[in-house]
Amino acid sequence: MRKIQMVDLVGQYQEIKEEVDASISNILSTAAFINGPEVSAFQKDLEAYLGIKHVIPCANGTDALQIAMMGLGLQPGDEVITADFTFAATVEVIGLLQLTPVLVDVEPDTFNIDPKAILKAITPKTKAIVPVHLFGQCANMDAIMEIAAEHDLYVIEDNAQAIGADFISSNGTSKKAGTIGHIGATSFFPSKNLGCYGDGGAIFTDDDELAHFIRGIVNHGMYQRYHHDVIGVNSRLDTIQAAVLKAKLPRLDTYCDKRRAAARKYSKAFEDQQHIHTPITVQGCEGICENCNCHVFHQYTLRITNGKRDALVAHLASKEIPCGVYYPIPLHKQKAYQDSRYKDEEFPVTNRLVQEVISLPMHTELDDEQINYITESVIEFINS
Ligand SMILES: *Cc1c(COP(=O)(O)O)cnc(C)c1O
């Protein structure tokens, strides 16, 4: 059996090697390292794939979130509601801009922000909601967009983990993750579903004026060379990363299919296990999607409900099976983000999830032998 990796990007590279090597070698010989033609070419390809008017590439996903908030003109003291159970980047940029983060609990089955908790957290100072489409599945965007419309709030989708996923609205329309709210932000970190070979990110919007404003923000607030109209940042996707992403984008749906196929095999193996809760897909899909793209499994995350999660992590390590705990500490308990406004009992789901979740190896190169070895090892231990 091949050694099991948590993330395996070598196979993907072998498939696109010729194209990527040729593009990179061309970039090296033309020295168009910044703003080379591949950047706008990738931007246009991604706009077409997502069905959105504007993609603004930037340096990474954290910048994308920050720039989205700057673009919307959020001001110090404005409250921004986001999930307690997520990667810290989301709440970090809220803090950096001196906005006030308001963390709320998530749903136990999807791990995504709970619309009921959002409603409870709204105050006259609330200006925006940042749903994170955690592990590759959209948050309940119907409910979130309705709340936003009712309370006149912006919605910034943190789509770092769900690029390529579809959101099927209750009225039957389908949209790509990241294109439903007022603005979407994503990351092209190597291990994301569409990853480059370094750092990268992008912002999406259908709003022409906002897109223009943001194009200046990413470039030092310049709309005309050496005229600085607003305080901006320096955040660029470099040409080499754009060339890699341009080669990978046409394969994104295939990558997502391979992840879903692995997820189906995992879930099938665990279906009769009482103490193992497999991830669910919502939106009218029966079990794990067969025919739709609602979940793109950035992570395949189980809940272990008999208290053996930590022991399982150690057991898997002893069997040379890598795994991850995303995330082990709720944001409201992190030193940097503690706030007297948070009451621990307002986060019952997150507090439980941090003790139950475990993410198994998930990437496009998993084979049946590896998946069987992983599922057998998990089941044998949980029932021991
Ligand atoms: C990866 C990630 C980010 C940050 O992306 P970077 O490109 O690493 O800055 C933000 N939010 C979530 C949910 C992520 O998973």
Short mmCIF file of all heavy atoms in Angstrom, two decimals, residues 59-63 65 86-87 89-90 132 134 158 160-161 186-189 192 199-201 298 327, ligand 1:
data_model
loop_
_atom_site.label_atom_id
_atom_site.label_comp_id
_atom_site.label_asym_id
_atom_site.label_seq_id
_atom_site.Cartn_x
_atom_site.Cartn_y
_atom_site.Cartn_z
N ALA A 59 -3.59 38.16 -2.65
CA ALA A 59 -2.42 37.38 -2.22
C ALA A 59 -2.74 36.13 -1.42
O ALA A 59 -1.97 35.18 -1.40
CB ALA A 59 -1.47 38.28 -1.41
N ASN A 60 -3.86 36.11 -0.72
CA ASN A 60 -4.24 34.93 0.07
C ASN A 60 -5.68 35.08 0.55
O ASN A 60 -6.28 36.15 0.38
CB ASN A 60 -3.27 34.72 1.26
CG ASN A 60 -3.22 35.93 2.16
OD1 ASN A 60 -4.19 36.25 2.84
ND2 ASN A 60 -2.08 36.63 2.16
N GLY A 61 -6.19 34.04 1.19
CA GLY A 61 -7.59 34.06 1.60
C GLY A 61 -7.86 34.99 2.76
O GLY A 61 -8.95 35.56 2.87
N THR A 62 -6.89 35.15 3.63
CA THR A 62 -7.05 36.06 4.77
C THR A 62 -7.16 37.50 4.26
O THR A 62 -8.04 38.25 4.68
CB THR A 62 -5.87 35.91 5.75
OG1 THR A 62 -5.69 34.52 6.04
CG2 THR A 62 -6.10 36.67 7.03
N ASP A 63 -6.28 37.85 3.32
CA ASP A 63 -6.38 39.18 2.69
C ASP A 63 -7.74 39.35 2.02
O ASP A 63 -8.35 40.42 2.09
CB ASP A 63 -5.30 39.35 1.61
CG ASP A 63 -3.98 39.85 2.16
OD1 ASP A 63 -3.83 39.88 3.40
OD2 ASP A 63 -3.10 40.21 1.35
N LEU A 65 -10.60 38.20 2.76
CA LEU A 65 -11.63 38.54 3.75
C LEU A 65 -11.47 39.98 4.23
O LEU A 65 -12.43 40.75 4.34
CB LEU A 65 -11.52 37.59 4.95
CG LEU A 65 -12.01 36.16 4.72
CD1 LEU A 65 -11.47 35.23 5.81
CD2 LEU A 65 -13.53 36.13 4.69
N THR A 86 -14.52 27.65 13.47
CA THR A 86 -13.89 27.86 12.17
C THR A 86 -12.42 28.16 12.38
O THR A 86 -11.94 28.29 13.51
CB THR A 86 -14.56 29.00 11.39
OG1 THR A 86 -13.90 29.17 10.11
CG2 THR A 86 -14.50 30.32 12.11
N PHE A 87 -11.71 28.31 11.26
CA PHE A 87 -10.32 28.74 11.29
C PHE A 87 -10.27 30.22 11.70
O PHE A 87 -11.16 30.99 11.35
CB PHE A 87 -9.70 28.52 9.91
CG PHE A 87 -8.26 28.89 9.83
CD1 PHE A 87 -7.33 28.31 10.69
CD2 PHE A 87 -7.81 29.83 8.91
CE1 PHE A 87 -5.99 28.65 10.63
CE2 PHE A 87 -6.47 30.17 8.84
CZ PHE A 87 -5.57 29.58 9.70
N ALA A 89 -8.73 32.83 10.78
CA ALA A 89 -8.53 33.94 9.83
C ALA A 89 -9.74 34.86 9.78
O ALA A 89 -9.60 36.08 9.69
CB ALA A 89 -8.24 33.39 8.43
N THR A 90 -10.91 34.26 9.84
CA THR A 90 -12.14 35.03 9.69
C THR A 90 -12.25 36.09 10.79
O THR A 90 -12.50 37.26 10.53
CB THR A 90 -13.36 34.08 9.76
OG1 THR A 90 -12.99 32.82 9.20
CG2 THR A 90 -14.54 34.65 9.04
N VAL A 132 -19.11 30.89 7.07
CA VAL A 132 -17.97 30.14 6.55
C VAL A 132 -18.54 28.83 6.02
O VAL A 132 -19.23 28.13 6.76
CB VAL A 132 -16.96 29.83 7.68
CG1 VAL A 132 -15.76 29.07 7.14
CG2 VAL A 132 -16.52 31.12 8.38
N LEU A 134 -18.05 25.66 5.86
CA LEU A 134 -17.03 24.83 6.48
C LEU A 134 -16.95 23.44 5.86
O LEU A 134 -17.96 22.79 5.62
CB LEU A 134 -17.31 24.72 7.99
CG LEU A 134 -16.05 24.40 8.81
CD1 LEU A 134 -15.09 25.59 8.84
CD2 LEU A 134 -16.43 24.00 10.23
N ASP A 158 -17.18 33.34 3.43
CA ASP A 158 -15.82 32.80 3.50
C ASP A 158 -15.86 31.45 2.78
O ASP A 158 -16.29 30.44 3.33
CB ASP A 158 -15.36 32.64 4.95
CG ASP A 158 -13.93 32.09 5.05
OD1 ASP A 158 -13.44 31.55 4.04
OD2 ASP A 158 -13.32 32.20 6.13
N ALA A 160 -13.28 29.77 1.48
CA ALA A 160 -11.94 29.17 1.36
C ALA A 160 -12.00 27.65 1.26
O ALA A 160 -11.12 27.03 0.68
CB ALA A 160 -11.08 29.58 2.57
N GLN A 161 -13.05 27.03 1.81
CA GLN A 161 -13.10 25.56 1.83
C GLN A 161 -14.13 24.99 0.86
O GLN A 161 -14.28 23.77 0.80
CB GLN A 161 -13.40 25.09 3.26
CG GLN A 161 -12.35 25.56 4.26
CD GLN A 161 -12.48 24.91 5.63
OE1 GLN A 161 -13.34 24.08 5.86
NE2 GLN A 161 -11.60 25.30 6.54
N THR A 186 -12.08 33.81 -1.17
CA THR A 186 -11.55 32.45 -1.18
C THR A 186 -10.05 32.43 -1.05
O THR A 186 -9.38 33.46 -1.16
CB THR A 186 -12.01 31.66 -2.42
OG1 THR A 186 -11.98 30.25 -2.12
CG2 THR A 186 -11.12 31.90 -3.63
N SER A 187 -9.53 31.22 -0.82
CA SER A 187 -8.09 31.01 -0.67
C SER A 187 -7.64 29.96 -1.68
O SER A 187 -8.36 29.01 -1.95
CB SER A 187 -7.81 30.48 0.74
OG SER A 187 -6.51 29.91 0.81
N PHE A 188 -6.44 30.18 -2.22
CA PHE A 188 -5.84 29.16 -3.09
C PHE A 188 -4.61 28.52 -2.43
O PHE A 188 -3.68 28.08 -3.10
CB PHE A 188 -5.45 29.77 -4.45
CG PHE A 188 -6.59 30.42 -5.18
CD1 PHE A 188 -6.51 31.77 -5.55
CD2 PHE A 188 -7.73 29.71 -5.49
CE1 PHE A 188 -7.55 32.39 -6.22
CE2 PHE A 188 -8.80 30.33 -6.17
CZ PHE A 188 -8.69 31.66 -6.54
N PHE A 189 -4.59 28.51 -1.11
CA PHE A 189 -3.55 27.81 -0.35
C PHE A 189 -3.42 26.40 -0.93
O PHE A 189 -4.42 25.80 -1.32
CB PHE A 189 -3.97 27.77 1.13
CG PHE A 189 -2.95 27.19 2.05
CD1 PHE A 189 -1.85 27.93 2.46
CD2 PHE A 189 -3.08 25.89 2.53
CE1 PHE A 189 -0.90 27.39 3.32
CE2 PHE A 189 -2.14 25.34 3.39
CZ PHE A 189 -1.04 26.09 3.78
N LYS A 192 -6.05 23.67 -0.34
CA LYS A 192 -7.48 23.90 -0.59
C LYS A 192 -7.90 23.14 -1.86
O LYS A 192 -7.04 22.68 -2.62
CB LYS A 192 -7.75 25.40 -0.76
CG LYS A 192 -7.24 26.25 0.38
CD LYS A 192 -8.11 26.19 1.63
CE LYS A 192 -7.35 26.81 2.77
NZ LYS A 192 -8.07 27.38 3.85
N ASP A 199 0.97 30.97 -2.00
CA ASP A 199 -0.23 31.60 -1.48
C ASP A 199 -1.01 32.28 -2.60
O ASP A 199 -0.42 32.77 -3.56
CB ASP A 199 0.14 32.64 -0.42
CG ASP A 199 0.32 32.02 0.97
OD1 ASP A 199 -0.58 31.29 1.41
OD2 ASP A 199 1.37 32.28 1.60
N GLY A 200 -2.31 32.32 -2.43
CA GLY A 200 -3.16 33.03 -3.38
C GLY A 200 -4.56 33.15 -2.82
O GLY A 200 -4.93 32.42 -1.90
N GLY A 201 -5.33 34.08 -3.37
CA GLY A 201 -6.71 34.24 -2.92
C GLY A 201 -7.48 35.06 -3.93
O GLY A 201 -6.92 35.51 -4.95
N HIS A 298 -13.85 19.48 1.35
CA HIS A 298 -12.50 19.96 1.66
C HIS A 298 -11.94 19.11 2.80
O HIS A 298 -10.77 18.75 2.81
CB HIS A 298 -12.53 21.44 2.04
CG HIS A 298 -11.20 21.94 2.48
ND1 HIS A 298 -10.11 21.91 1.65
CD2 HIS A 298 -10.76 22.41 3.66
CE1 HIS A 298 -9.05 22.37 2.31
NE2 HIS A 298 -9.42 22.67 3.54
N TYR A 327 -11.85 21.86 14.48
CA TYR A 327 -10.81 22.64 15.14
C TYR A 327 -10.83 22.26 16.61
O TYR A 327 -11.91 22.03 17.15
CB TYR A 327 -11.06 24.12 14.91
CG TYR A 327 -10.96 24.44 13.42
CD1 TYR A 327 -12.07 24.36 12.60
CD2 TYR A 327 -9.73 24.75 12.86
CE1 TYR A 327 -11.96 24.60 11.24
CE2 TYR A 327 -9.62 25.00 11.50
CZ TYR A 327 -10.73 24.92 10.69
OH TYR A 327 -10.63 25.16 9.35
C1 LIG B 1 -7.67 28.62 4.60
C2 LIG B 1 -8.72 29.44 5.18
C3 LIG B 1 -8.63 30.83 5.25
C4 LIG B 1 -7.37 31.61 4.96
O1 LIG B 1 -6.77 31.40 3.74
P1 LIG B 1 -5.20 31.75 3.55
O2 LIG B 1 -5.06 31.72 2.06
O3 LIG B 1 -4.43 30.70 4.23
O4 LIG B 1 -4.98 33.10 4.10
C5 LIG B 1 -9.72 31.56 5.69
N1 LIG B 1 -10.84 30.94 6.09
C6 LIG B 1 -10.97 29.60 6.08
C7 LIG B 1 -12.24 28.99 6.52
C8 LIG B 1 -9.91 28.81 5.63
O5 LIG B 1 -10.05 27.48 5.62
#
